Amino acid sequence: MKNVFLVKYGEIAIKGKNRYLFENRLVDTIRKSLNDLGMFSVKKEQGRIMVEPLAEELIDEQPIIDKLSKIFGIVGIAYGLKHEELSMEAVKELVYAHMQKECLDKTFTFKVETRRADKRFPLNSMEINAQIGEYVLEAFPGKLTVDVHRPDRILMVELRNSTYVYSITHKGAGGMPYGTNGKATLLLSGGIDSPVAGWMTAKRGVEIDAVYFHSPPYTSERAREKVIDLGKKIAQYTGGIKVHVVPFTAIQMAIYEKCPHGQLTLIMRRMMMRIAEKIAVMNGSMALITGESIGQVASQTMQSLVVTDSVVEMPVFRPLIGFDKEEIVQISKKIDTYETSILPYEDCCTVFVPKNPEIKPRLDIIKRSEEILSDEIEEMIATAIGEMEIVQMI
Ligand code: ATP
Ligand code: MG
């Protein structure tokens, strides 16, 4: 008898020919993310991934469940017991041990449900359910009652190459296995929105790296650290992330000195997009991601977003486009980026916020303003990229 985590995955099951690629990636991600919690065997088995601790002594399951529940592509995690044999004796042995642990000082209603992946088993599911239900009632007299309609607990028996028993399935993160849907570059600021936008895209299996524009001394070292901390939070879900810290002060100052102030934010945002696109190409990314949502601030009106977009050739994904701030805040709390995001270290945009920002910019006018910068800007961009710092988080 052994402890085991049964990992259930959903959507990837429908991916036809690609299925094994998705499963293999999920297995890799699980191995990687459990690395610092001990030694595990991680194996595919007929629509499940089985994670078995290799240590002899009893392990604390909660940290492992916490880790697994952050991995994209997993819909549920059950912690249970495994027996190498496939027999009613094995089922009873596991059920007894499992219920003994679960029934301590509790009374509850239950029912048994059997999944018979190995059809060679002599009894059918209904017969197994009935026999095991009866066995449990006899083994734990007075404590438990059967309720087939609304049980407190469903005692699951799975008959595969081995026998498995569990009764609680913890919710997984859902989505698709990380790294199975191409790569994109996230413009990561220290705010609430962009980490959420990154998480949402990564949840669909897209590998992400990040770019942060840093403007010392207008943005402090603490602001930079905050962004790195947000990168680490995202890395808990993705297994790692590369954050490019791009020195942005010179470009920002040039814009500030030479362009109409009402257009500052927009021209700055366009510069960010240009640079991010170059970094994306260097990294094999196919798209950019931002945390913008329509109408949230002046630089996010429809007109502004269109003007921002037109400076790059890559598609720009904005997963939060239709979200209200409150909805974004809720997700950021759920994924644990909120507390870091609200730390009061200014981002570069708040330093150079114009008093009367343009809310309906026209592309031709913005382009004309940018022409004043044209002879120096390419060189400034090259310098910024040349001097960027790369922080790799695992
Ligand atoms: P966030 O909460 O993500 O900072 P926000 O509501 O503060 O968003 P803006 O500051 O207008 O909005 O930024 C819009 C988007 O532009 C951000 O979501 C982010 O993707 C990108 N961005 C803004 N500032 C930076 C920066 N310093 N470095 C990298 N990306 C940035
Ligand atoms: Mg911001």
Side-chain angles (χ1 to χ4, degrees), residues 25-43:
R25 183 56 92 117
L26 193 50
V27 167
D28 282 351
T29 309
I30 293 173
R31 284 204 180 114
K32 205 167 148 193
S33 81
L34 294 181
N35 237 345
D36 54 346
L37 290 179
M39 303 271 282
F40 298 88
S41 134
V42 182
K43 282 193 195 133

Side-chain angles (χ1 to χ4, degrees), residues 304-321:
S304 299
L305 293 178
V306 169
V307 169
T308 308
D309 250 29
S310 67
V311 76
V312 286
E313 278 176 23
M314 270 185 189
V316 181
F317 294 135
R318 298 182 169 90
L320 307 181
I321 200 73

Side-chain angles (χ1 to χ4, degrees), residues 187-189 191-194 211 213 269 290-292 296 300 348:
L187 282 87
L188 179 63
S189 68
I192 294 171
D193 305 332
S194 43
V211 179
F213 296 93
R269 185 68 23 85
T290 77
E292 291 157 316
Q296 204 188 68
Q300 297 176 27
C348 62

Side-chain angles (χ1 to χ4, degrees), residues 41-52:
S41 134
V42 182
K43 282 193 195 133
K44 285 193 281 182
E45 193 180 309
Q46 298 165 297
R48 297 255 185 277
I49 292 170
M50 303 298 182
V51 178
E52 284 178 40

